[in-house]
Amino acid sequence: MLDINIIRDDIEKVKQTVINKNEKTNLDSLLELDSKRKSLLIECDDLRNTRNITSKKISELKSKKEDASDVIKEMKGVSDNIKQLEVDIKALTDELDSILLKIPNIPASDVPVGKDETSNEIIKECGEKRDYSFTPLPHWDIGKTLDILDFERAAKITGAGFTLYKGAGARLERALYNFMLDLHTQEHGYTEIFPPYLVNRASMTGTGQLPKLEEDMYRIPEDDLFLIPTAEVPVTNIHSNEIMSVTDLPTYYTAFTACFRREAGSHGKDTRGMLRVHQFNKVELVKFVRPETSYDELESLLSVSEKVLQLLGLQYRVLKLCTGDLSFAAAKCYDIEVWSPGVDKFLEVSSCSNFEDFQARRSNIRFRDDEGKVHHVHTLNGSGVALPRTMIAIIENYQREDGTVDVPEVLRPYMNGLEVIKKS
RNA sequence: GGAGGGAUGGCUGAGCGGUUGAAAGCGCUGGUUUCGAAAACCAGUUGGGGAGAAAUCUUCACGCGAGUUCGAAUCUCGCUCCCUCCGCCA
């Protein structure tokens, strides 16, 4: 949510933001609603003041055993007025809120303006491309041959877009997230969290998934709960409606969770194998920081995500997203894409975003500074990293001509020393 | 799922329907005192909205939402969460 004062000051800038982010929110009625609400509020406050003063008068009269019936009669009218005004104000507030909740965050000044991913800037490429003396196979072939990934049976059990990991495949998955959690907790100072996988509507609204993306979420209607699309939701909301102490900042959390996405509207696009699935695992990184530090914190967030890929020996590149590809809530975002020789593509495994105070306003997350003043924190999050595509990259990059797959060295301690995945 | 109890400021905990934004204690901050510290004493110590250049004024909030009333932390109803017991269960 944007600060209403920013909108009052420069609504044209906000309108431009809506366009640049490919949103459709209509802001035409916003300022009018806002000023109408304000004038009603003033009127209502005035009447309430009258009511408070008169109430005391009545109480004094009564304690002196004097007649107060005239004053009470007069007050009745005042009270009715207040009630009507309160109803009107509530209606205006609801209408305003429904618009405010649909206004995207304003991109940072150094974010390139662009319509779609073709305007993203590649800011660096890291790691060596491997040479193969053979044509590298895609992971769905390798997974099937080695009997470590089974898409057919997953589809039988649930449906398309789900994965069954088996044997060394399941073990490799487990090795990966344990490796990542250990790295972030032991080397990077993050506190490990294991949050609920189901969250309520307020949490989903707080981080910005709702109201916009309700169709993309799995929902339990009986309880109005949602399966988390990312650990960002429960972890960011850990501090919702709290005033943090300045000594708590920065706070770094990391969480391993499954993530659930309906992916409505993306059917048929990159769906082969586990390129795009409805349920996947991810190790998430979430930061709560002081506003003035948040862009530095974004850089260090990016670097710890990159560290994962570096240690895994994978080739990757980093993109700075343009306005059109930036998510609703983000002010700035870097994507990390890892190279997969079998699929022959770069695959997104992480998005590292600074939300500034956008989520903090929605979730009401604040801190008290050294002078005792209260401000919204800045929140950031990034994947550190998402598992399926990292798994794809490992399997495809580390494949050998004989069909076996080397286990990256850093994962071997997590694989009981296993060096090569062979058909069992 | 059934029965009962509860939800008040950073914490503990009072609170006849009418100067209670809220007693008291603890904690915290500042001051006095001290060579310094402790103790003692004094003062301060919730957040949001609005008006104002500011001082300041005003309004809202006692889990959440409705209602009764001239007036609600206090009464009524619904909901949520927490605790105890019973049932079911990984």
Side-chain angles (χ1 to χ4, degrees):
Chain A
M1 183 135 45
L2 296 180
D3 183 349
I4 184 79
N5 290 310
I6 288 176
I7 305 173
R8 284 175 189 151
D9 287 350
D10 192 354
I11 191 157
E12 289 312 315
K13 183 181 180 183
V14 178
K15 282 185 176 173
Q16 190 58 48
T17 290
V18 172
I19 293 166
N20 288 346
K21 276 197 157 180
N22 299 329
E23 298 285 342
K24 296 189 186 73
T25 317
N26 185 348
L27 303 183
D28 290 338
S29 57
L30 187 78
L31 289 184
E32 200 183 319
L33 287 170
D34 179 50
S35 66
K36 180 136 191 229
R37 177 172 171 276
K38 209 162 169 177
S39 68
L40 289 189
L41 223 42
I42 291 171
E43 195 182 333
C44 191
D45 268 14
D46 248 23
L47 288 174
R48 280 169 167 158
N49 183 229
T50 308
R51 181 177 70 182
N52 288 343
I53 291 169
T54 317
S55 255
K56 268 176 200 163
K57 210 178 286 171
I58 291 171
S59 138
E60 280 164 25
L61 285 174
K62 288 211 162 181
S63 68
K64 287 188 216 151
K65 307 258 182 206
E66 288 178 30
D67 178 49
S69 55
D70 283 353
V71 193
I72 288 175
K73 201 181 286 173
E74 190 191 317
M75 277 287 283
K76 201 152 193 156
V78 174
S79 278
D80 289 345
N81 265 338
I82 291 174
K83 265 175 204 160
Q84 186 54 49
L85 280 171
E86 281 173 346
V87 170
D88 295 346
I89 289 167
K90 171 97 164 53
L92 283 172
T93 305
D94 288 349
E95 201 175 338
L96 261 174
D97 282 350
S98 80
I99 298 172
L100 286 173
L101 285 172
K102 288 178 191 150
I103 299 176
N105 199 3
I106 299 172
S109 56
D110 64 331
V111 169
V113 175
K115 195 135 193 66
D116 53 37
E117 69 273 7
T118 56
S119 301
N120 294 341
E121 282 176 15
I122 298 171
I123 61 168
K124 62 171 149 176
E125 301 193 46
C126 307
E128 297 289 309
K129 194 163 209 162
R130 286 156 194 263
D131 283 327
Y132 296 93
S133 56
F134 56 97
T135 306
L137 296 172
H139 64 282
W140 49 83
D141 288 339
I142 303 167
K144 187 166 188 172
T145 308
L146 293 177
D147 196 24
I148 56 176
L149 300 173
D150 190 338
F151 300 107
E152 285 80 7
R153 286 199 174 97
K156 178 175 75 177
I157 297 164
T158 307
F162 289 84
T163 311
L164 181 80
Y165 303 81
K166 186 177 169 189
R171 182 66 191 257
L172 184 61
E173 177 85 358
R174 177 153 60 99
L176 259 175
Y177 62 70
N178 281 330
F179 156 68
M180 292 179 198
L181 284 172
D182 285 351
L183 178 69
H184 297 314
T185 55
Q186 290 166 26
E187 309 292 329
H188 300 145
Y190 285 73
T191 301
E192 187 169 346
I193 301 287
F194 190 77
Y197 283 14
L198 286 161
V199 296
N200 59 29
R201 186 169 283 275
S203 294
M204 287 290 265
T205 305
T207 34
Q209 279 72 22
L210 295 183
K212 190 192 166 193
L213 299 173
E214 182 145 4
E215 298 184 349
D216 289 319
M217 306 301 153
Y218 286 104
R219 176 172 167 232
I220 314 292
E222 290 82 354
D223 303 296
D224 203 28
L225 296 177
F226 297 82
L227 277 164
I228 54 172
T230 158
E232 164 194 349
V233 180
V235 175
T236 304
N237 280 289
I238 287 174
H239 295 295
S240 65
N241 295 311
E242 289 183 12
I243 298 177
M244 301 174 77
S245 156
V246 71
T247 56
D248 293 335
L249 302 181
T251 288
Y252 298 166
Y253 292 133
T254 183
F256 160 78
T257 69
C259 302
F260 304 89
R261 300 184 182 179
R262 293 188 63 229
E263 299 290 354
S266 38
H267 295 298
K269 197 185 166 197
D270 293 337
T271 50
R272 195 90 201 263
M274 41 182 198
L275 286 170
R276 182 178 297 277
V277 287
H278 293 303
Q279 177 191 320
F280 63 94
N281 291 327
K282 179 156 63 71
V283 171
E284 185 74 356
L285 305 162
V286 176
K287 290 183 171 187
F288 301 81
V289 307
R290 299 177 68 132
E292 66 274 18
T293 66
S294 68
Y295 281 95
D296 289 337
E297 293 281 2
L298 178 61
E299 297 302 317
S300 66
L301 180 65
L302 174 64
S303 74
V304 303
S305 296
E306 285 181 66
K307 188 78 185 173
V308 174
L309 301 178
Q310 289 162 6
L311 289 171
L312 288 170
L314 296 171
Q315 184 202 358
Y316 66 92
R317 64 181 189 185
V318 177
L319 277 59
K320 181 156 85 175
L321 297 194
C322 73
T323 55
D325 211 22
L326 205 55
S327 73
F328 177 79
K332 183 174 177 180
C333 177
Y334 295 113
D335 271 7
I336 306 177
E337 297 183 335
V338 68
W339 176 249
S340 272
V343 180
D344 196 29
K345 270 182 182 155
F346 276 100
L347 306 176
E348 180 192 332
V349 290
S350 177
S351 285
C352 296
S353 309
N354 184 0
F355 301 94
E356 299 190 358
D357 63 3
F358 189 83
Q359 294 181 324
R361 269 176 208 288
R362 289 175 160 243
S363 282
N364 195 25
I365 308 168
R366 296 170 295 170
F367 75 101
R368 201 182 299 278
D369 70 16
D370 306 299
E371 284 158 15
K373 291 214 169 113
V374 174
H375 313 271
H376 287 99
V377 302
H378 279 194
T379 59
L380 302 93
N381 69 56
S383 334
V385 296
L387 278 273
R389 293 173 188 162
T390 305
M391 184 80 128
I392 290 171
I394 289 171
I395 292 172
E396 294 186 4
N397 277 290
Y398 282 90
Q399 63 181 299
R400 302 199 299 199
E401 192 161 14
D402 64 3
T404 61
V405 172
D406 285 329
V407 175
E409 231 164 281
V410 289
L411 294 182
R412 290 177 190 170
Y414 294 93
M415 298 282 287
N416 206 19
L418 186 71
E419 292 178 12
V420 182
I421 298 175
K422 302 179 180 141
K423 185 161 172 53
S424 52

